[in-house]
């Protein structure tokens, strides 16, 4: 069974750093790109970027490039989404999803940034 | 990278059919076969309902179907059921990555 399991909810203050994770199982992890998708409160889905776990090649949405970093550790079947300095506007649920078709999704990670 | 255009809401009665449109351009929907649709219920992960314009993943009801005409993709749900009530999003591959539609709230009356 294909599964993507994300790390738990986070409460952070503005300016803090954060890294959330997405671990895949039930398939050959390195064979499939992993995407990150944001959903801000009351809003729709936004594609942030994706990574090829084989070689960590990344592609970012122009809206997110320079604001987040996507990385991977294929030895533990895990992809990460990282912020160096969080803003209140980063408050959202973040989903990881597999492949171009986004065929399997993680359960989502709520990130709450508030002073 | 502009979002694809979907109606904000659609509604229908049980047993009826509804269609949700997703308008794009030649740089997304009209240019590639990677057009997909997702069902999203509050508090849950989105679920893939249609991929590559017309294909249904295993386990998705055949009441759900996808199509494309020019730069507009469509999701049709036939035999509406109360359980279909959710938000629906289209998405398309582009050279800049994936782009989503703004989402359509489906209400089953």
């Amino acid at each position: 069974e294909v599964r993507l399991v994300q790390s738990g909810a986070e409460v952070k203050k503005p300016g803090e750093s954060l890294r959330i994770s997405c671990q895949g199982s039930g398939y050959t992890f390195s064979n499939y790109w992993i995407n990150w998708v944001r959903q801000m409160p009351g809003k729709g889905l936004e594609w942030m970027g994706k990574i090829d776990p084989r070689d960590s090649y990344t592609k970012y949405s122009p809206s997110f490039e320079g604001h987040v970093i996507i990385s991977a550790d294929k030895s533990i079947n895990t992809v990460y989404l990282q912020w160096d300095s969080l803003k209140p506007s980063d408050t959202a649920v973040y989903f990881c999803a597999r492949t171009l078709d986004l065929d399997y999704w993680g359960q989502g990670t709520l990130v709450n940034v508030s002073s | 990278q502009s979002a694809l255009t979907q109606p904000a809401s659609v509604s229908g009665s049980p047993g009826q059919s509804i269609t949700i449109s997703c308008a794009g351009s030649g740089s997304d929907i009209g240019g590639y076969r990677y057009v997909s649709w997702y069902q999203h219920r509050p508090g849950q992960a989105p679920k893939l309902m249609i991929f590559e314009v017309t294909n249904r993943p295993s386990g998705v009801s055949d009441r759900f179907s996808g199509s494309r005409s020019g730069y507009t993709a469509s999701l049709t749900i036939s035999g509406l059921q109360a359980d279909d009530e959710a938000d629906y999003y289209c998405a398309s591959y582009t050279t800049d990555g994936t782009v989503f539609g703004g989402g359509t709230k489906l209400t089953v009356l």
Side-chain angles (χ1 to χ4, degrees), chain A residues 5-27:
Chain A
V5 178
Q6 298 183 226
S7 49
E10 302 275 359
V11 179
K12 303 295 258 185
K13 296 188 185 309
E16 291 186 330
S17 62
L18 175 65
R19 189 176 76 169
I20 63 175
S21 66
C22 169
Q23 185 173 45
S25 62
Y27 70 99

Side-chain angles (χ1 to χ4, degrees), chain B residues 52-63:
Chain B
E52 294 178 23
V53 182
T54 61
N55 297 295
R56 267 190 316 275
S58 174
V60 171
S61 171
D62 61 5
R63 297 186 299 107

Side-chain angles (χ1 to χ4, degrees), chain A residues 6 35-39 43-48 50 59-63 95 99-108, chain B residues 1 34-36 38 40 43-48 50-52 87 89 91 93-103:
Chain A
Q6 298 183 226
N35 303 265
W36 284 100
V37 175
R38 182 176 78 175
Q39 185 174 39
K43 302 298 184 183
L45 303 176
E46 299 175 90
W47 183 79
M48 302 175 70
K50 62 183 178 183
K59 186 169 184 68
Y60 294 91
S61 162
S63 300
F95 295 98
T99 78
L100 271 178
D101 294 319
L102 290 82
D103 58 356
Y104 288 91
W105 292 65
Q107 81 277 20
Chain B
Q1 192 183 32
Y34 293 104
V35 179
S36 49
Y38 305 89
H40 191 201
Q44 297 185 16
K47 177 184 178 183
L48 177 66
I50 297 290
F51 68 99
E52 294 178 23
D87 295 325
Y89 293 88
Y93 172 85
T94 78
T95 53
D96 286 334
T98 294
V99 61
F100 282 99

Side-chain angles (χ1 to χ4, degrees), chain B residues 79-98:
Chain B
L80 265 182
Q81 300 177 358
D83 190 50
D84 296 333
E85 190 160 287
D87 295 325
Y88 290 84
Y89 293 88
C90 61
S92 174
Y93 172 85
T94 78
T95 53
D96 286 334
T98 294

